[in-house]
Amino acid sequence: MINPSNAPTSRFLRDIGLESGMRVLDVGCATGLLTRELANLVGKNGHITGVDRNNDRLAEAKDQTGESNHATIVYENVDLTGNLPDWEPFDAITGRRVLMYLPDAAETLRRLTALLKPDGLMIFQEHCAIGMPIAAQPIPQHLQAHDWMWRVIAAEQGTITIGLDLPKLFQQAGLGIDDYRAEAIMLGSARDDGIEDIASYMVSRVIDAGVADRDTIRLDSLTERLFEERQKANPIAWDMAYLIGGRRLS
C-alpha cells in the first residue's frame, strides 16, 4: 500500500540536517518503512533504533532486509506512554504520524528530548484535520472519507490538530525550531495516485469506532467511487503534511 502522505518526509530529512554516521531513534516505527530510509541516509557507520508497541508490526519490520551500505537497525518493543529504556543519547529522534495518537504528546516529547545529545535533532511529520481536502470541483466522496478517518482518530483519543500544535509542543519541550513547514498532498488522476487503499484499510477501524456502519460505507464500491471522483476533480489537495525539525537547547 503506497501512502502519498509519506513523500514529504524524505525531502525534509535531507533539508533538516540528518547526516552520515548519526545514531537515530525512530519512534512509532511500525513496519520499519521510515526506519529503513533513515538507515540509508546515515549509512553503514550510523545506527538506527526503531521502536513500536505492536509486536506484529515489529515482526514484519524485522523480516525486511537492509542493503549492505545501510546502518545497523535494532528494533525494540517500547510503549512511548510508559517508561523509556536507559539508552545512550541520540544524535536525532524521528517520528511520522506518532504524536497525533498519544494521550499526552507534550509529556512524551519532553521525555524524548531528554534522550537527545546537546544540540541533537528532533524531527516529526504530523497531520491535521482542519481545512482538507479541497478541489475546484465537488468531491463529496473524498470529504466523507476524510471525515471518517479523522473521526476515528478522535475516537481513539488522538489529537486532530496536532500538525498545527507542533511549534508550541517543541517550545514546551525545550527544543528550538530550525524549520517548520507544510506540504500539500496532491492526488492526481492515475490509478496509483489516490488514497483508495488507505480508505479501505481503515474501514474496520471506522466500524469499530462507531463512526459509520458497513451499509453507510458501501465498501464494495468505495474504491471505485473515490477513483471516479478523483478523475473528474483532478487535482485534489487531499491532506497537509506538517514537518518540523529543531534542536535540543540545553
Side-chain angles (χ1 to χ4, degrees):
M1 180 175 63
I2 297 174
N3 188 340
S5 298
N6 288 345
T9 320
S10 301
R11 293 184 282 272
F12 192 71
L13 289 174
R14 289 174 172 82
D15 290 348
I16 202 65
L18 207 67
E19 298 175 349
S20 175
M22 280 187 166
R23 188 168 178 272
V24 183
L25 174 66
D26 182 28
V27 298
C29 68
T31 59
L33 186 62
L34 177 57
T35 319
R36 292 186 293 276
E37 183 173 352
L38 292 165
N40 181 45
L41 285 172
V42 303
K44 62 183 180 180
N45 293 323
H47 186 278
I48 310 294
T49 300
V51 301
D52 202 278
R53 65 181 182 181
N54 186 306
N55 279 322
D56 291 338
R57 291 179 177 178
L58 286 172
E60 188 174 341
K62 291 174 183 178
D63 283 343
Q64 304 294 319
T65 57
E67 297 179 15
S68 59
N69 62 337
H70 283 191
T72 300
I73 300 175
V74 174
Y75 290 106
E76 298 183 32
N77 186 307
V78 174
D79 185 345
L80 295 176
T81 65
N83 294 326
L84 298 177
D86 187 21
W87 287 304
E88 291 295 320
F90 292 94
D91 297 299
I93 297 175
T94 65
R96 180 165 62 195
R97 292 186 295 277
V98 176
L99 298 177
M100 61 195 290
Y101 290 109
L102 297 175
D104 191 343
E107 174 59 24
T108 300
L109 196 58
R110 280 193 291 268
R111 291 191 295 120
L112 289 173
T113 299
L115 297 175
L116 283 172
K117 295 179 180 179
D119 206 37
L121 277 169
M122 188 76 75
I123 307 164
F124 274 93
Q125 177 180 323
E126 299 290 335
H127 295 257
C128 183
I130 299 170
M132 291 287 160
I134 56 175
Q137 303 295 325
I139 50 170
Q141 303 292 335
H142 282 76
L143 286 166
Q144 181 69 87
H146 189 272
D147 179 63
W148 284 337
M149 291 179 186
W150 279 104
R151 285 171 61 193
V152 166
I153 292 168
E156 295 171 347
Q157 308 303 309
T159 304
I160 67 172
T161 60
I162 196 73
L164 293 172
D165 297 336
L166 289 171
K168 176 181 68 178
L169 292 174
F170 263 51
Q171 290 164 359
Q172 291 173 346
L175 294 159
I177 299 173
D178 293 349
D179 195 351
Y180 172 57
R181 66 179 74 167
E183 183 173 330
I185 310 303
M186 303 300 298
L187 305 182
S189 60
R191 175 62 76 170
D192 59 353
D193 280 353
I195 47 82
E196 292 85 1
D197 287 345
I198 298 170
S200 297
Y201 173 77
M202 287 192 68
V203 163
S204 61
R205 287 170 63 188
V206 170
I207 294 170
D208 289 346
V211 170
D213 58 27
R214 291 188 180 275
D215 291 338
T216 303
I217 296 168
R218 293 185 290 151
L219 180 58
D220 59 335
S221 63
L222 177 63
T223 296
E224 203 58 35
R225 283 185 281 121
L226 287 168
F227 178 60
E228 290 176 359
E229 183 175 85
R230 183 161 50 83
Q231 285 186 304
K232 294 175 182 177
N234 177 38
I236 296 173
W238 164 253
D239 195 5
M240 195 73 73
Y242 293 86
L243 304 116
I244 192 166
R247 297 180 184 274
R248 180 176 175 175
L249 296 178
S250 61

